[in-house]
Amino acid sequence: MKLKWKLLLVFVVVLVLCTASFAADRRIVVGFAQIGSESDWRVGSTNSVRQACADAGFELIFVDANQMQENQLSALRDFITRGVDYIGFSPVVMTGWDQIMMEIKDAGIPVIMLDRNIDMPNHTDYYATWIGSNFVEEGEKSALWLLDYLGIHGRWGEEINIVELQGTVGSSPAIDRKTGFENIIKDHPNLKITQSQTGDFTTELGKTVMESFLRRAQSDGVKIDVLYAHNDGMAIGAIQAIKEAGLVPGKDIIIIGVDAVKLAFEAILAGEMNVTVECSPLLGPQFVQAIKDIEAGETLDKITFSIEHVYDETLSKLMPHRYLSAEEHYPSRVY
Ligand code: GZL
């Protein structure tokens, strides 16, 4: 073989080895635009993402948007400017992302949606996958639990007045949890939502709005039988308001929450709350795995649901195939 071909062969081999070495040593940079720290659930979500990225050796640029869309938008634009390898993102509300998602796509940066979702034309074209919970199912589970609970307490068919603490207005969990709950109660005209207002997923506003629900119920002479709170944080705030009004939460008013945070388990064990429908924030490992799969050249499913349960201390004793014991599972809770 002529010398020049030998030299060319050596050059190519060296180039391939250097490329392979660079690729193996390249540290993946991830930009994550988190909603905020409005609830224990959100803190659990943040901890899960941080831990999973640290375990994977990724460089994480993390932004807490304090529940403000403009902060998330500026974080996403900064990620483009910095040329991150991947973007993770849990949108505070569903709309207002069209322009930035097109800019991210033009920049060729894969997006992994976590937890909440966006609403724009052909939205699945703008992210590699969405990982989270089925919020409609969580709303349906909440209403089905209530039907089972009323049934075993001989209150089937009784006129039941429900007040609803909605999550952040315009967010996918608030929209879908309301839809799911109403999907079930629409077939039971004795179950009525008499008052419904956002508590923005916070304990403080949940208490304030529950105080207004109680005042109005007293002035209208329309008692409250059930509280359906779109997250446990608001339910905890409402429990404080109910106790300050001289009523017994969990007995005078049935308390339904969503998330399955530790404080909800503690309230259930104290008899002040009746049920919590799990919505797992522990999505960090699935988030990292999605990045690794993309690195390996795989095409991801557009939706990855997490597995979730319903915890109480009443129906779980009678229907263990459908409901789990809060007492039994409390020690293993991590958020
Ligand atoms: C649900 C998540 C919600 C939680 C709230 O996936 O987006 O936001 O239910 C949190 O606790 O604030």
Side-chain angles (χ1 to χ4, degrees), residues 38-39 41-42 115-116 135 173 177 201 230-231 259 279:
E38 74 281 0
S39 63
W41 189 99
R42 186 62 54 199
D115 166 31
R116 299 188 189 176
F135 302 133
R177 284 172 186 162
F201 283 133
H230 289 187
N231 84 331
D259 277 351
C279 172

Coordinates of all heavy atoms in Angstrom, one line a residue, residues 38-39 41-42 115-116 135 173 177 201 230-231 259 279, ligand 1:
E38 N -44.3 25.7 45.2 CA -45.6 26.1 45.8 C -46.2 25.0 46.7 O -47.1 25.3 47.4 CB -46.5 26.4 44.7 CG -47.0 25.2 43.9 CD -46.0 24.7 42.8 OE1 -44.9 25.3 42.7 OE2 -46.4 23.7 42.1
S39 N -45.6 23.8 46.6 CA -46.2 22.7 47.4 C -45.2 21.6 47.8 O -44.1 21.6 47.1 CB -47.3 22.0 46.6 OG -46.8 21.4 45.4
W41 N -45.4 18.7 47.0 CA -45.3 17.9 45.8 C -44.2 18.4 44.9 O -43.3 17.7 44.4 CB -46.6 17.9 45.1 CG -46.7 16.9 43.9 CD1 -47.2 15.7 44.0 CD2 -46.2 17.1 42.6 NE1 -47.1 15.1 42.7 CE2 -46.4 15.9 41.9 CE3 -45.5 18.1 42.0 CZ2 -46.1 15.7 40.6 CZ3 -45.1 17.9 40.6 CH2 -45.4 16.8 40.0
R42 N -44.2 19.8 44.7 CA -43.3 20.4 43.8 C -41.8 20.2 44.4 O -40.9 20.0 43.6 CB -43.6 21.9 43.7 CG -42.8 22.7 42.7 CD -43.0 22.2 41.3 NE -44.4 22.1 40.9 CZ -44.8 21.4 39.9 NH1 -44.0 20.7 39.1 NH2 -46.1 21.4 39.6
D115 N -44.5 16.3 34.1 CA -45.6 16.7 35.0 C -46.8 17.4 34.3 O -47.8 16.7 34.0 CB -45.0 17.5 36.1 CG -46.1 18.2 37.0 OD1 -47.2 17.7 37.1 OD2 -45.8 19.3 37.5
R116 N -46.7 18.7 34.0 CA -47.8 19.4 33.4 C -47.5 19.4 31.8 O -46.4 19.2 31.4 CB -47.9 20.8 33.9 CG -48.2 20.8 35.4 CD -48.6 22.1 36.0 NE -48.6 22.1 37.4 CZ -48.9 23.2 38.1 NH1 -49.0 24.4 37.6 NH2 -48.9 23.2 39.5
F135 N -54.1 13.1 35.0 CA -54.8 13.9 35.9 C -56.3 13.7 35.8 O -57.1 13.8 36.8 CB -54.5 15.4 35.6 CG -53.1 15.8 35.7 CD1 -52.5 16.6 34.7 CD2 -52.3 15.4 36.8 CE1 -51.1 16.9 34.8 CE2 -51.0 15.7 36.9 CZ -50.4 16.5 35.9
P173 N -53.2 20.0 35.4 CA -53.8 19.3 36.5 C -55.1 19.9 37.0 O -56.0 19.1 37.4 CB -52.7 19.3 37.6 CG -51.8 20.4 37.3 CD -51.8 20.5 35.8
R177 N -58.2 17.5 36.6 CA -58.8 16.9 37.8 C -60.3 17.3 38.0 O -61.1 16.5 38.4 CB -58.0 17.3 39.0 CG -56.6 16.6 39.1 CD -55.7 17.1 40.2 NE -54.4 16.4 40.1 CZ -53.3 16.8 40.6 NH1 -53.3 17.9 41.3 NH2 -52.2 16.1 40.4
F201 N -53.0 25.9 44.3 CA -52.2 24.8 44.8 C -51.4 25.1 46.1 O -50.4 24.4 46.4 CB -51.2 24.3 43.7 CG -51.8 23.5 42.7 CD1 -51.5 23.7 41.3 CD2 -52.6 22.4 43.0 CE1 -52.1 22.9 40.3 CE2 -53.2 21.6 42.0 CZ -52.9 21.8 40.7
H230 N -57.8 19.9 44.8 CA -57.0 19.4 43.7 C -55.5 19.1 44.2 O -54.8 18.6 43.4 CB -56.9 20.4 42.6 CG -58.2 20.6 41.8 ND1 -58.3 21.3 40.6 CD2 -59.4 20.1 42.0 CE1 -59.5 21.2 40.2 NE2 -60.2 20.5 41.0
N231 N -55.1 19.5 45.4 CA -53.9 19.0 45.9 C -54.0 19.0 47.4 O -54.8 19.7 48.1 CB -52.7 19.7 45.4 CG -52.4 21.0 46.2 OD1 -53.2 21.6 46.7 ND2 -51.1 21.3 46.2
D259 N -52.3 14.1 45.5 CA -50.8 14.2 45.6 C -50.2 13.0 46.4 O -49.2 12.4 46.0 CB -50.3 15.5 46.2 CG -50.2 16.6 45.2 OD1 -50.4 16.3 44.0 OD2 -49.9 17.8 45.6
C279 N -50.3 11.3 43.2 CA -49.8 11.8 41.9 C -48.3 11.9 42.2 O -47.8 12.8 42.9 CB -50.4 13.2 41.7 SG -49.6 14.1 40.3
Ligands
GZL1 C1 -49.4 17.7 39.5 C2 -48.6 18.9 39.8 C3 -49.3 19.7 40.8 C4 -49.5 19.0 42.2 C5 -49.5 20.2 43.1 O1 -48.6 16.9 38.6 O2 -48.4 19.7 38.7 O3 -48.6 20.9 41.1 O4 -50.7 18.3 42.3 C6 -48.3 21.0 42.5 O5 -49.2 19.9 44.4 O6 -48.3 22.3 42.9

